[in-house]
């Protein structure tokens, strides 16, 4: 076995919106040679610097176990999932990947004693959580995706308490990033709008202009992830999912902010089914426990987030 203090990390679902960014941050922090990226898809991001990539379906527990053992993995960032909008289109697949996939990871974590990061979501909340969701607000989601996320949080608490697995999670708000397009969620409009604006195209936003949701720039989410995984376990009272303090803005407020940079940009608001999912979620999340237990603080506000997104996308296009 290698040095037990040296992190040997497997990232599942690594080609997604969060994975691409987390891979870069983990590689810089722990060394490119210690990060194994995996996803069900074949590797198609030539611009991403990855030393080892494995095509891996998290439902294939034998292959997952082989990858863990052969690479002496002692930490997994388990990002493979189906998000809210796609989950509602294919509930069985959403349940299988989000719940059974996590169960595979947890069973192997119990056996091989590696640490796990498993993201939760603001989708754990339903209409009864109120506009400002607290850590201990009720968890009665009305989307199947939300139900899988509550189940994942309960499984995390169970495997921690009963089997001593060191698993940690964050209830990410809608994440705004520019490197890859988001993967079929409800908050995707807050990313897609930037691509259209920078390309000088009109955008048909699929939620109405008053829709207000908890949001965050990706750098704040990646930093939260690394900070949580660095926190001493004895300081943590939660295994399933920490609320973070979030930004909170409407689709119209986002549009207005983008117009400060690109005044000719035009956005139409044409709600579809995803409006229902958005309406079932809170406007904002309160992050008391993440701040008190591991010192988390937000850095980006709406203005700095828009500036970063627009400058980054302008360089790319
Ligand atoms: P994404 O859809 O962009 O990426 C998920 C990745 O999982 C994809 O690359 C997909 O190919 C892969 N995948 C799907 N099925 C798989 C399987 N069977 N085996 C292996 N890989 C598989 O999602 P994301 O935005 O990167 O989200 C990652 C995690 O963060 C998810 O658990 C999601 O619920 C959570 N989350 C994301 C957000 C957000 O705004 N992006 C917000 C809250 C929570
Ligand atoms: C989605 O919209 O499904 C995700 C999430 C908030 O979990 N971005």
């Amino acid at each position: 076995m290698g040095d037990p203090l040296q992190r040997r990390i497997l990232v599942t679902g690594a080609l997604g919106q969060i994975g691409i960014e987390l891979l870069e941050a983990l590689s810089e922090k722990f060394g490119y040679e210690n990060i194994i990226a995996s996803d069900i898809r074949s590797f198609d991001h030539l611009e991403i610097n990855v030393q080892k990539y494995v095509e891996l379906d998290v439902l294939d527990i034998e292959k997952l176990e082989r990858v863990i053992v052969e690479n002496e993995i002692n930490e997994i960032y388990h990002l493979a999932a189906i998000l809210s909008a796609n989950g509602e289109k294919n509930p069985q697949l959403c349940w299988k990947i989000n719940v059974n996939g996590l169960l595979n990871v947890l069973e192997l974590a119990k056996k091989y004693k590696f640490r796990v990061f498993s993201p939760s979501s603001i989708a754990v909340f339903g209409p009864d959580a109120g506009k400002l969701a607290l850590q201990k607000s009720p968890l009665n989601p009305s989307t199947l995706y939300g139900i899988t996320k509550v189940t994942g949080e309960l499984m995390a608490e169970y495997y921690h308490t009963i089997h001593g697995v060191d698993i940690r999670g964050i209830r990410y708000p809608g994440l705004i990033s520019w490197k890859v397009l988001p993967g079929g969620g409800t908050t995707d409009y807050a990313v897609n709008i930037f691509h259209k604006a920078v390309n000088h195209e009109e955008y048909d936003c699929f939620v109405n202009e008053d829709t207000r949701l908890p949001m965050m720039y990706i750098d704040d989410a990646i930093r939260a992830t690394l900070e949580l995984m660095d926190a001493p376990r004895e300081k943590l009272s939660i295994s399933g999912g920490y609320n973070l303090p979030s930004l909170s803005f409407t689709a119209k407020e986002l549009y207005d902010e983008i117009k400060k940079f690109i005044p000719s940009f035009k956005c139409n608001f044409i709600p579809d089914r995803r409006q229902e999912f958005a309406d079932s979620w809170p406007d904002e999340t309160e992050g008391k426990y993440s701040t008190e237990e591991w010192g988390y603080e937000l850095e980006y506000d709406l203005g700095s987030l828009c500036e970063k997104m627009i400058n980054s996308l302008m360089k790319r296009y």
Side-chain angles (χ1 to χ4, degrees):
M1 283 292 272
D3 174 0
L5 295 177
Q6 174 61 61
R7 303 239 194 136
R8 295 279 303 160
I9 294 174
L10 174 66
V11 182
T12 71
L15 299 185
Q17 189 193 2
I18 299 177
I20 286 295
E21 309 263 354
L22 189 61
L23 274 183
E24 196 63 34
L26 290 170
S27 302
E28 275 169 17
K29 189 164 163 137
F30 300 112
Y32 284 81
E33 67 285 6
N34 292 310
I35 313 299
I36 288 88
S38 72
D39 201 290
I40 197 168
R41 297 185 264 155
S42 56
F43 189 70
D44 54 1
H45 289 280
L46 295 178
E47 75 275 24
I48 306 293
N49 189 0
V50 166
Q51 282 195 3
K52 182 153 188 186
Y53 181 79
V54 185
E55 222 171 284
L56 175 66
D57 178 348
V58 292
L59 298 178
D60 180 351
I61 192 167
E62 277 100 31
K63 182 159 182 190
L64 181 59
E65 181 164 12
R66 218 166 44 244
V67 171
I68 288 164
V69 172
E70 281 171 4
N71 293 286
E72 299 181 350
I73 296 299
N74 54 24
E75 192 161 291
I76 290 194
Y77 291 75
H78 177 52
L79 307 181
I82 302 292
L83 275 69
S84 57
N86 284 346
E88 224 57 30
K89 284 187 205 146
N90 195 341
Q92 290 186 342
L93 183 70
C94 181
W95 181 269
K96 261 204 292 197
I97 293 174
N98 295 9
V99 178
N100 299 355
L102 176 59
L103 187 62
N104 286 347
V105 170
L106 286 168
E107 275 299 305
L108 294 170
K110 182 174 91 177
K111 183 167 173 188
Y112 293 104
K113 314 235 170 308
F114 53 77
R115 298 180 347 131
V116 181
F117 175 79
S118 175
S120 186
S121 161
I122 51 141
V124 292
F125 297 113
D128 60 350
K131 286 184 187 306
L132 176 66
L134 311 180
Q135 182 70 41
K136 307 223 165 160
S137 292
L139 303 181
N140 292 310
S142 51
T143 60
L144 194 275
Y145 170 69
I147 293 170
T148 68
K149 289 292 168 185
V150 174
T151 307
E153 288 197 11
L154 293 171
M155 284 160 65
E157 296 295 344
Y158 170 84
Y159 272 80
H160 176 65
T161 310
I162 306 297
H163 299 299
V165 173
D166 184 355
I167 174 164
R168 306 172 185 205
I170 286 173
R171 291 172 181 160
Y172 291 128
L175 300 181
I176 301 183
S177 68
W178 58 273
K179 286 188 185 153
V180 293
L181 286 168
T186 302
T187 60
D188 295 12
Y189 69 88
V191 177
N192 297 342
I193 192 171
F194 284 99
H195 288 262
K196 293 289 185 184
V198 167
N199 279 311
H200 302 286
E201 290 172 30
E202 245 176 75
Y203 181 53
D204 289 341
C205 178
F206 57 76
V207 296
N208 68 40
E209 61 181 28
D210 299 329
T211 304
R212 180 181 288 283
L213 284 173
M215 296 279 181
M216 178 177 280
Y217 185 58
I218 190 78
D219 287 11
D220 276 342
I222 298 296
R223 186 172 46 77
T225 308
L226 300 181
E227 286 177 6
L228 174 61
M229 291 307 276
D230 275 348
R233 181 73 227 192
E234 60 279 9
K235 291 241 164 101
L236 306 180
S237 64
I238 293 163
S239 297
Y242 277 91
N243 271 18
L244 296 181
S246 70
L247 302 179
S248 178
F249 46 80
T250 64
K252 171 77 162 49
E253 285 164 356
L254 177 60
Y255 173 40
D256 288 343
E257 193 64 33
I258 294 173
K259 275 204 295 188
K260 289 185 190 161
F261 297 86
I262 306 172
S264 60
F265 176 51
K266 173 114 175 36
C267 177
N268 312 300
F269 296 92
I270 309 171
D272 67 15
R273 173 97 201 277
R274 289 167 280 190
Q275 183 69 51
E276 263 175 62
F277 314 148
D279 288 345
S280 75
W281 294 345
D283 291 357
E284 192 175 356
T285 50
E286 183 242 37
K288 177 173 175 283
Y289 286 79
S290 57
T291 305
E292 284 179 7
E293 295 185 11
W294 43 282
Y296 183 70
E297 280 176 24
L298 266 184
E299 281 180 7
Y300 282 83
D301 60 15
L302 177 57
S304 50
L305 171 162
C306 287
E307 190 178 348
K308 191 80 191 282
M309 284 294 291
I310 290 168
N311 288 340
S312 306
L313 285 173
M314 276 181 167
K315 277 189 212 137
R316 160 175 284 188
Y317 284 120

